[in-house]
Amino acid sequence: MTGNGNRQIVTIADPAALATAAAERVMNRIAANSGRVAICLTGGSSPKQLYQLLATDAYRSRIPWERVHWFIGDERFVPAGDPLNNMAMARATFLDRCAPAANIHPIPTATADPADPDRSAALYEQELRSFYGTDTLGQARPLFDLVLMGVGPDGHTASLFPGYPAVEETARWVVGVPKANVEPFVPRVTLTLPTLASCREMLFEIAGPGKRTILKRALAGENLPANRARSIGETIWLVDRAALPEDFRGQ
Ligand code: 6PG
C-alpha cells in the first residue's frame, strides 16, 4: 500500500480479489455505524462483481438491510430499465432482491425531461438534503458512510468530465450535465465534488489493462476530476495488477 496525501493506492491481484476487498470494506463501513448507513453507489462496469458478491448469501446475510440506504453518484438519461441506467444495474444485480424499496434512492431521470437535467439534479439534491437533515454539509458529520467511484478513460469520475463546469461547482450538491464526454453520449446528472467528498470513505475500483493509460496520468498527478475527488475521511484506490502502469509495479 502506498500513500499520497490522504489517498491510498492498494494493489490487488485481479478483479475477483478486488471485488472481495471492496465487499469487505463495504461490510466494515456498515459495521462501524450502528445507526442509519448511507452508501453512494457508482455506475460503469467496474462495480458489477462487487454488487454480485453483495447479493450472495455470504454477504447478504450479514447486511442489516433495514438500516442501509443506497444512493447513486451519477445517472444517465436512459430509460429506468435500460442496463445503461446506473441504478438499474445496481437494482438488477442486488438491490431489488435485498434492500427495502424505501432505502433505494435513484436519481429521477425516467420521468424527467432529458433537455433539462438540472431539474432532475435539483430533485435529487432536495432528496439528499432532506436525508441529511440540514442544508450545509458539515465536516464532523459526513453525508455518506461510503462513496464508491470509478475512473473513466478521460479521467472522469461520476459524471464529472475534464474541463466541464460541473467539476468546479461548489454550491450545488447535484448538477445536470447536458452532454457526456464518453459513451453513452446522453445527458447526465452528477453529484458534485464537495457532495461526494462528504463521506467517511471514498473507494475507487480500477481494474484491467484498459485503465493503465489513464491510471498512469492520474498517478503522475494530472489535474483530472478523478484526482480531485477526495473524501474528507479516507480515499482509497483499489487497483488490480493489470491496470497498474509499469513504473508503479513493485511499489
Ligand atoms: C458512469 C460512471 C462513471 C464510471 C467510469 C468508469 O455513469 O459512467 O459512474 O464515472 O465509474 O466511467 O466506468 P467503468 O467501470 O465502466 O470503467
Side-chain angles (χ1 to χ4, degrees):
M1 183 184 287
T2 50
N4 175 4
N6 77 339
R7 179 172 76 189
Q8 294 172 334
I9 311 289
V10 182
T11 311
I12 294 190
D14 53 46
L18 195 148
T20 303
E24 287 304 321
R25 296 206 71 92
V26 171
M27 300 313 295
N28 288 344
R29 279 294 154 194
I30 293 174
N33 181 350
S34 59
R36 189 181 64 166
V37 177
I39 297 182
C40 186
L41 301 171
T42 182
S45 53
S46 305
K48 197 159 183 191
Q49 261 189 288
L50 163 65
Y51 298 167
Q52 284 166 341
L53 263 188
L54 295 178
T56 60
D57 284 345
Y59 287 97
R60 187 182 175 163
S61 59
R62 288 163 59 203
I63 297 176
W65 294 98
E66 292 300 325
R67 61 180 182 87
V68 184
H69 288 255
W70 308 89
F71 295 86
I72 191 89
D74 73 309
E75 196 52 272
R76 301 134 171 211
F77 266 89
V78 293
D82 190 314
L84 287 177
N85 180 296
N86 288 335
M87 194 53 123
M89 189 276 280
R91 294 186 84 130
T93 316
F94 78 113
L95 289 179
D96 280 347
R97 268 173 294 147
C98 306
N103 292 10
I104 305 172
H105 303 265
I107 292 176
T109 50
T111 52
D113 176 4
D116 189 8
D118 270 330
R119 170 79 191 127
S120 166
L123 289 172
Y124 205 53
E125 176 162 328
Q126 194 42 53
E127 178 156 0
L128 288 174
R129 283 180 194 268
S130 105
F131 182 85
Y132 186 66
T134 66
D135 283 342
T136 310
L137 294 169
Q139 291 276 326
R141 188 170 67 88
L143 170 60
F144 300 115
D145 291 273
L146 180 68
V147 170
L148 297 172
M149 301 278 256
V151 179
D154 57 351
H156 79 262
T157 191
S159 281
L160 296 163
F161 299 101
Y164 278 42
V167 183
E168 308 305 329
E169 179 65 44
T170 54
R172 285 181 293 167
W173 293 22
V174 189
V175 295
V177 178
K179 189 172 181 240
N181 202 37
V182 298
E183 283 187 354
F185 295 102
V186 293
R188 313 275 189 112
V189 172
T190 186
L191 272 59
T192 55
L193 287 175
T195 313
L196 293 163
S198 184
C199 61
R200 297 187 190 282
E201 176 175 331
M202 183 181 282
L203 184 67
F204 284 77
E205 284 187 87
I206 304 161
K211 299 283 178 188
R212 214 176 283 159
T213 306
I214 192 57
L215 195 55
K216 189 179 168 100
R217 290 172 55 194
L219 295 178
E222 211 177 300
N223 180 11
L224 301 167
N227 263 349
R228 291 176 56 184
R230 300 286 171 121
S231 166
I232 58 172
E234 282 187 90
T235 305
I236 297 169
W237 284 29
L238 297 182
V239 178
D240 87 335
R241 282 199 195 291
L244 208 60
E246 295 277 321
D247 348 354
F248 291 89
R249 296 200 178 158
Q251 284 191 37

Short mmCIF file of all heavy atoms in Angstrom, two decimals, residues 72-118:
data_model
loop_
_atom_site.label_atom_id
_atom_site.label_comp_id
_atom_site.label_asym_id
_atom_site.label_seq_id
_atom_site.Cartn_x
_atom_site.Cartn_y
_atom_site.Cartn_z
N ILE A 72 -26.88 6.93 -5.56
CA ILE A 72 -26.05 6.74 -6.75
C ILE A 72 -25.33 8.07 -7.07
O ILE A 72 -25.93 9.14 -6.95
CB ILE A 72 -26.91 6.23 -7.94
CG1 ILE A 72 -26.04 5.77 -9.11
CG2 ILE A 72 -27.95 7.24 -8.40
CD1 ILE A 72 -25.64 4.32 -9.05
N GLY A 73 -24.06 7.96 -7.44
CA GLY A 73 -23.25 9.17 -7.63
C GLY A 73 -23.52 9.91 -8.92
O GLY A 73 -23.28 11.12 -9.02
N ASP A 74 -24.01 9.19 -9.92
CA ASP A 74 -24.37 9.85 -11.18
C ASP A 74 -25.33 8.97 -11.95
O ASP A 74 -25.42 7.77 -11.71
CB ASP A 74 -23.14 10.18 -12.03
CG ASP A 74 -22.53 8.95 -12.68
OD1 ASP A 74 -22.27 7.96 -11.96
OD2 ASP A 74 -22.31 8.96 -13.91
N GLU A 75 -26.05 9.61 -12.85
CA GLU A 75 -27.02 8.85 -13.65
C GLU A 75 -27.03 9.35 -15.08
O GLU A 75 -26.67 10.49 -15.37
CB GLU A 75 -28.42 8.92 -13.02
CG GLU A 75 -29.40 7.90 -13.52
CD GLU A 75 -28.85 6.46 -13.46
OE1 GLU A 75 -28.20 6.06 -14.47
OE2 GLU A 75 -29.07 5.77 -12.47
N ARG A 76 -27.42 8.46 -15.97
CA ARG A 76 -27.51 8.77 -17.40
C ARG A 76 -28.98 8.88 -17.79
O ARG A 76 -29.80 8.12 -17.28
CB ARG A 76 -26.86 7.63 -18.19
CG ARG A 76 -25.40 7.40 -17.82
CD ARG A 76 -25.13 5.94 -17.62
NE ARG A 76 -23.68 5.68 -17.47
CZ ARG A 76 -23.09 4.57 -17.86
NH1 ARG A 76 -23.79 3.59 -18.41
NH2 ARG A 76 -21.81 4.41 -17.69
N PHE A 77 -29.28 9.77 -18.72
CA PHE A 77 -30.67 9.90 -19.18
C PHE A 77 -31.02 8.80 -20.17
O PHE A 77 -31.11 9.01 -21.38
CB PHE A 77 -30.91 11.29 -19.77
CG PHE A 77 -31.46 12.25 -18.75
CD1 PHE A 77 -30.60 13.00 -17.97
CD2 PHE A 77 -32.82 12.37 -18.54
CE1 PHE A 77 -31.09 13.86 -17.00
CE2 PHE A 77 -33.32 13.24 -17.58
CZ PHE A 77 -32.45 13.98 -16.80
N VAL A 78 -31.19 7.61 -19.63
CA VAL A 78 -31.69 6.48 -20.42
C VAL A 78 -32.88 5.94 -19.62
O VAL A 78 -32.99 6.21 -18.43
CB VAL A 78 -30.61 5.38 -20.61
CG1 VAL A 78 -29.47 5.88 -21.48
CG2 VAL A 78 -30.07 4.89 -19.27
N PRO A 79 -33.77 5.18 -20.25
CA PRO A 79 -34.94 4.70 -19.52
C PRO A 79 -34.55 3.93 -18.24
O PRO A 79 -33.48 3.33 -18.18
CB PRO A 79 -35.65 3.78 -20.52
CG PRO A 79 -35.17 4.25 -21.85
CD PRO A 79 -33.79 4.79 -21.66
N ALA A 80 -35.46 3.95 -17.24
CA ALA A 80 -35.17 3.37 -15.92
C ALA A 80 -34.73 1.92 -16.00
O ALA A 80 -33.91 1.47 -15.20
CB ALA A 80 -36.39 3.51 -15.03
N GLY A 81 -35.26 1.15 -16.96
CA GLY A 81 -34.92 -0.27 -17.03
C GLY A 81 -33.73 -0.56 -17.93
O GLY A 81 -33.28 -1.71 -18.02
N ASP A 82 -33.21 0.44 -18.61
CA ASP A 82 -32.08 0.24 -19.52
C ASP A 82 -30.84 -0.18 -18.73
O ASP A 82 -30.54 0.43 -17.70
CB ASP A 82 -31.82 1.59 -20.23
CG ASP A 82 -30.83 1.47 -21.38
OD1 ASP A 82 -29.77 0.83 -21.18
OD2 ASP A 82 -31.10 2.01 -22.45
N PRO A 83 -30.13 -1.24 -19.18
CA PRO A 83 -28.94 -1.65 -18.43
C PRO A 83 -27.88 -0.56 -18.33
O PRO A 83 -27.00 -0.62 -17.47
CB PRO A 83 -28.41 -2.86 -19.21
CG PRO A 83 -29.32 -3.09 -20.35
CD PRO A 83 -30.44 -2.10 -20.31
N LEU A 84 -27.96 0.45 -19.20
CA LEU A 84 -27.02 1.56 -19.10
C LEU A 84 -27.41 2.56 -18.01
O LEU A 84 -26.67 3.49 -17.71
CB LEU A 84 -26.91 2.29 -20.45
CG LEU A 84 -26.15 1.55 -21.55
CD1 LEU A 84 -26.17 2.34 -22.84
CD2 LEU A 84 -24.71 1.28 -21.13
N ASN A 85 -28.59 2.36 -17.44
CA ASN A 85 -29.00 3.18 -16.31
C ASN A 85 -28.25 2.64 -15.08
O ASN A 85 -28.33 1.46 -14.76
CB ASN A 85 -30.52 3.05 -16.11
CG ASN A 85 -31.04 3.87 -14.95
OD1 ASN A 85 -30.69 3.63 -13.80
ND2 ASN A 85 -31.88 4.85 -15.25
N ASN A 86 -27.48 3.51 -14.43
CA ASN A 86 -26.60 3.05 -13.35
C ASN A 86 -27.37 2.40 -12.20
O ASN A 86 -26.98 1.34 -11.71
CB ASN A 86 -25.77 4.23 -12.82
CG ASN A 86 -24.70 4.65 -13.81
OD1 ASN A 86 -24.26 3.87 -14.64
ND2 ASN A 86 -24.26 5.90 -13.70
N MET A 87 -28.44 3.04 -11.77
CA MET A 87 -29.18 2.47 -10.65
C MET A 87 -29.90 1.19 -11.08
O MET A 87 -30.04 0.26 -10.28
CB MET A 87 -30.16 3.49 -10.06
CG MET A 87 -30.73 3.12 -8.71
SD MET A 87 -29.46 2.71 -7.45
CE MET A 87 -29.83 3.88 -6.15
N ALA A 88 -30.33 1.13 -12.35
CA ALA A 88 -31.00 -0.09 -12.84
C ALA A 88 -30.03 -1.27 -12.76
O ALA A 88 -30.43 -2.38 -12.38
CB ALA A 88 -31.47 0.10 -14.27
N MET A 89 -28.77 -1.03 -13.07
CA MET A 89 -27.77 -2.11 -12.99
C MET A 89 -27.63 -2.57 -11.53
O MET A 89 -27.64 -3.77 -11.23
CB MET A 89 -26.44 -1.61 -13.56
CG MET A 89 -25.38 -2.66 -13.74
SD MET A 89 -24.43 -3.00 -12.25
CE MET A 89 -23.27 -1.63 -12.27
N ALA A 90 -27.52 -1.61 -10.62
CA ALA A 90 -27.38 -1.97 -9.20
C ALA A 90 -28.64 -2.67 -8.68
O ALA A 90 -28.57 -3.64 -7.94
CB ALA A 90 -27.09 -0.72 -8.36
N ARG A 91 -29.79 -2.21 -9.15
CA ARG A 91 -31.05 -2.82 -8.71
C ARG A 91 -31.14 -4.26 -9.21
O ARG A 91 -31.49 -5.17 -8.45
CB ARG A 91 -32.25 -2.04 -9.25
CG ARG A 91 -32.38 -0.64 -8.68
CD ARG A 91 -33.67 -0.01 -9.15
NE ARG A 91 -34.72 -0.42 -8.27
CZ ARG A 91 -35.59 0.41 -7.68
NH1 ARG A 91 -35.55 1.70 -7.94
NH2 ARG A 91 -36.50 -0.04 -6.88
N ALA A 92 -30.83 -4.43 -10.49
CA ALA A 92 -30.96 -5.77 -11.07
C ALA A 92 -29.93 -6.72 -10.47
O ALA A 92 -30.19 -7.92 -10.34
CB ALA A 92 -30.77 -5.68 -12.59
N THR A 93 -28.76 -6.20 -10.12
CA THR A 93 -27.70 -7.07 -9.63
C THR A 93 -27.89 -7.44 -8.17
O THR A 93 -27.61 -8.56 -7.77
CB THR A 93 -26.32 -6.40 -9.85
OG1 THR A 93 -26.28 -5.85 -11.16
CG2 THR A 93 -25.19 -7.39 -9.70
N PHE A 94 -28.34 -6.49 -7.35
CA PHE A 94 -28.53 -6.88 -5.94
C PHE A 94 -29.64 -6.15 -5.19
O PHE A 94 -30.33 -6.75 -4.37
CB PHE A 94 -27.20 -6.79 -5.15
CG PHE A 94 -26.76 -5.40 -4.73
CD1 PHE A 94 -26.73 -5.05 -3.38
CD2 PHE A 94 -26.35 -4.46 -5.66
CE1 PHE A 94 -26.29 -3.80 -2.97
CE2 PHE A 94 -25.91 -3.20 -5.26
CZ PHE A 94 -25.88 -2.86 -3.92
N LEU A 95 -29.85 -4.87 -5.47
CA LEU A 95 -30.74 -4.11 -4.59
C LEU A 95 -32.18 -4.61 -4.57
O LEU A 95 -32.78 -4.72 -3.50
CB LEU A 95 -30.72 -2.62 -4.98
CG LEU A 95 -29.44 -1.85 -4.65
CD1 LEU A 95 -29.56 -0.41 -5.13
CD2 LEU A 95 -29.16 -1.89 -3.15
N ASP A 96 -32.72 -4.91 -5.76
CA ASP A 96 -34.14 -5.28 -5.78
C ASP A 96 -34.43 -6.57 -5.02
O ASP A 96 -35.53 -6.78 -4.53
CB ASP A 96 -34.65 -5.38 -7.23
CG ASP A 96 -34.96 -3.99 -7.79
OD1 ASP A 96 -35.01 -3.02 -7.00
OD2 ASP A 96 -35.12 -3.86 -9.02
N ARG A 97 -33.41 -7.44 -4.90
CA ARG A 97 -33.62 -8.70 -4.18
C ARG A 97 -33.33 -8.56 -2.68
O ARG A 97 -33.70 -9.41 -1.90
CB ARG A 97 -32.70 -9.79 -4.75
CG ARG A 97 -33.37 -10.59 -5.84
CD ARG A 97 -32.39 -11.54 -6.48
NE ARG A 97 -31.35 -10.79 -7.19
CZ ARG A 97 -30.10 -11.20 -7.29
NH1 ARG A 97 -29.70 -12.30 -6.72
NH2 ARG A 97 -29.23 -10.48 -7.97
N CYS A 98 -32.64 -7.51 -2.32
CA CYS A 98 -32.14 -7.43 -0.94
C CYS A 98 -32.64 -6.24 -0.14
O CYS A 98 -32.91 -6.35 1.06
CB CYS A 98 -30.62 -7.39 -0.96
SG CYS A 98 -29.82 -8.72 -1.88
N ALA A 99 -32.71 -5.08 -0.76
CA ALA A 99 -32.97 -3.85 0.00
C ALA A 99 -34.44 -3.47 0.00
O ALA A 99 -35.14 -3.66 -1.00
CB ALA A 99 -32.15 -2.72 -0.60
N PRO A 100 -34.94 -2.91 1.12
CA PRO A 100 -36.31 -2.39 1.10
C PRO A 100 -36.41 -1.27 0.06
O PRO A 100 -35.47 -0.47 -0.08
CB PRO A 100 -36.49 -1.81 2.51
CG PRO A 100 -35.37 -2.34 3.34
CD PRO A 100 -34.26 -2.70 2.40
N ALA A 101 -37.51 -1.21 -0.66
CA ALA A 101 -37.66 -0.22 -1.74
C ALA A 101 -37.44 1.20 -1.22
O ALA A 101 -36.85 2.04 -1.91
CB ALA A 101 -39.04 -0.35 -2.37
N ALA A 102 -37.88 1.47 0.02
CA ALA A 102 -37.76 2.83 0.56
C ALA A 102 -36.31 3.22 0.82
O ALA A 102 -36.01 4.40 1.02
CB ALA A 102 -38.56 2.94 1.85
N ASN A 103 -35.41 2.24 0.82
CA ASN A 103 -34.00 2.54 1.09
C ASN A 103 -33.19 2.70 -0.20
O ASN A 103 -31.99 2.89 -0.15
CB ASN A 103 -33.36 1.42 1.92
CG ASN A 103 -33.91 1.37 3.33
OD1 ASN A 103 -34.89 2.04 3.64
ND2 ASN A 103 -33.30 0.59 4.19
N ILE A 104 -33.87 2.60 -1.35
CA ILE A 104 -33.18 2.76 -2.64
C ILE A 104 -33.50 4.16 -3.16
O ILE A 104 -34.68 4.51 -3.30
CB ILE A 104 -33.64 1.68 -3.65
CG1 ILE A 104 -33.45 0.28 -3.05
CG2 ILE A 104 -32.88 1.81 -4.97
CD1 ILE A 104 -34.05 -0.84 -3.89
N HIS A 105 -32.48 4.94 -3.43
CA HIS A 105 -32.67 6.35 -3.78
C HIS A 105 -32.11 6.63 -5.18
O HIS A 105 -30.97 7.09 -5.30
CB HIS A 105 -31.99 7.25 -2.75
CG HIS A 105 -32.45 7.02 -1.34
ND1 HIS A 105 -33.44 7.78 -0.74
CD2 HIS A 105 -32.07 6.09 -0.40
CE1 HIS A 105 -33.63 7.35 0.51
NE2 HIS A 105 -32.82 6.33 0.73
N PRO A 106 -32.88 6.36 -6.23
CA PRO A 106 -32.39 6.61 -7.60
C PRO A 106 -32.46 8.09 -7.96
O PRO A 106 -33.26 8.84 -7.38
CB PRO A 106 -33.36 5.81 -8.47
CG PRO A 106 -34.60 5.66 -7.66
CD PRO A 106 -34.24 5.81 -6.21
N ILE A 107 -31.65 8.52 -8.88
CA ILE A 107 -31.77 9.87 -9.43
C ILE A 107 -32.94 9.83 -10.41
O ILE A 107 -32.99 8.95 -11.28
CB ILE A 107 -30.47 10.29 -10.15
CG1 ILE A 107 -29.33 10.45 -9.13
CG2 ILE A 107 -30.67 11.58 -10.95
CD1 ILE A 107 -27.97 10.77 -9.73
N PRO A 108 -33.92 10.73 -10.26
CA PRO A 108 -35.11 10.65 -11.12
C PRO A 108 -34.83 11.13 -12.54
O PRO A 108 -34.86 12.32 -12.81
CB PRO A 108 -36.11 11.57 -10.41
CG PRO A 108 -35.27 12.56 -9.68
CD PRO A 108 -33.97 11.89 -9.35
N THR A 109 -34.54 10.19 -13.42
CA THR A 109 -34.35 10.57 -14.83
C THR A 109 -35.48 10.03 -15.71
O THR A 109 -35.72 10.57 -16.78
CB THR A 109 -33.02 10.00 -15.38
OG1 THR A 109 -32.95 8.62 -15.06
CG2 THR A 109 -31.82 10.73 -14.80
N ALA A 110 -36.16 9.00 -15.22
CA ALA A 110 -37.15 8.33 -16.07
C ALA A 110 -38.28 9.25 -16.51
O ALA A 110 -38.66 9.27 -17.67
CB ALA A 110 -37.71 7.12 -15.35
N THR A 111 -38.80 10.01 -15.56
CA THR A 111 -39.94 10.85 -15.89
C THR A 111 -39.52 12.28 -16.18
O THR A 111 -40.33 13.13 -16.52
CB THR A 111 -40.94 10.87 -14.72
OG1 THR A 111 -40.22 11.23 -13.55
CG2 THR A 111 -41.60 9.52 -14.52
N ALA A 112 -38.22 12.55 -16.02
CA ALA A 112 -37.75 13.93 -16.20
C ALA A 112 -37.45 14.23 -17.67
O ALA A 112 -37.34 13.32 -18.49
CB ALA A 112 -36.50 14.14 -15.37
N ASP A 113 -37.34 15.51 -17.96
CA ASP A 113 -37.08 15.96 -19.33
C ASP A 113 -35.57 15.93 -19.60
O ASP A 113 -34.81 16.65 -18.93
CB ASP A 113 -37.63 17.39 -19.45
CG ASP A 113 -37.33 18.01 -20.80
OD1 ASP A 113 -36.76 17.30 -21.66
OD2 ASP A 113 -37.67 19.20 -20.97
N PRO A 114 -35.11 15.09 -20.55
CA PRO A 114 -33.67 15.00 -20.80
C PRO A 114 -33.06 16.32 -21.23
O PRO A 114 -31.85 16.52 -21.12
CB PRO A 114 -33.53 13.94 -21.90
CG PRO A 114 -34.89 13.57 -22.30
CD PRO A 114 -35.90 14.22 -21.40
N ALA A 115 -33.90 17.22 -21.73
CA ALA A 115 -33.37 18.52 -22.13
C ALA A 115 -33.10 19.39 -20.91
O ALA A 115 -32.51 20.46 -21.02
CB ALA A 115 -34.36 19.22 -23.06
N ASP A 116 -33.53 18.92 -19.74
CA ASP A 116 -33.38 19.73 -18.54
C ASP A 116 -32.81 18.89 -17.38
O ASP A 116 -33.47 18.68 -16.36
CB ASP A 116 -34.74 20.33 -18.16
CG ASP A 116 -34.63 21.36 -17.06
OD1 ASP A 116 -33.49 21.73 -16.70
OD2 ASP A 116 -35.68 21.79 -16.55
N PRO A 117 -31.56 18.39 -17.55
CA PRO A 117 -31.01 17.54 -16.48
C PRO A 117 -30.86 18.28 -15.15
O PRO A 117 -30.82 17.66 -14.10
CB PRO A 117 -29.64 17.11 -17.03
CG PRO A 117 -29.32 18.05 -18.13
CD PRO A 117 -30.63 18.56 -18.67
N ASP A 118 -30.80 19.63 -15.20
CA ASP A 118 -30.69 20.39 -13.95
C ASP A 118 -31.93 20.23 -13.07
O ASP A 118 -31.85 20.32 -11.85
CB ASP A 118 -30.44 21.88 -14.24
CG ASP A 118 -28.95 22.18 -14.32
OD1 ASP A 118 -28.16 21.48 -13.64
OD2 ASP A 118 -28.57 23.07 -15.09
#
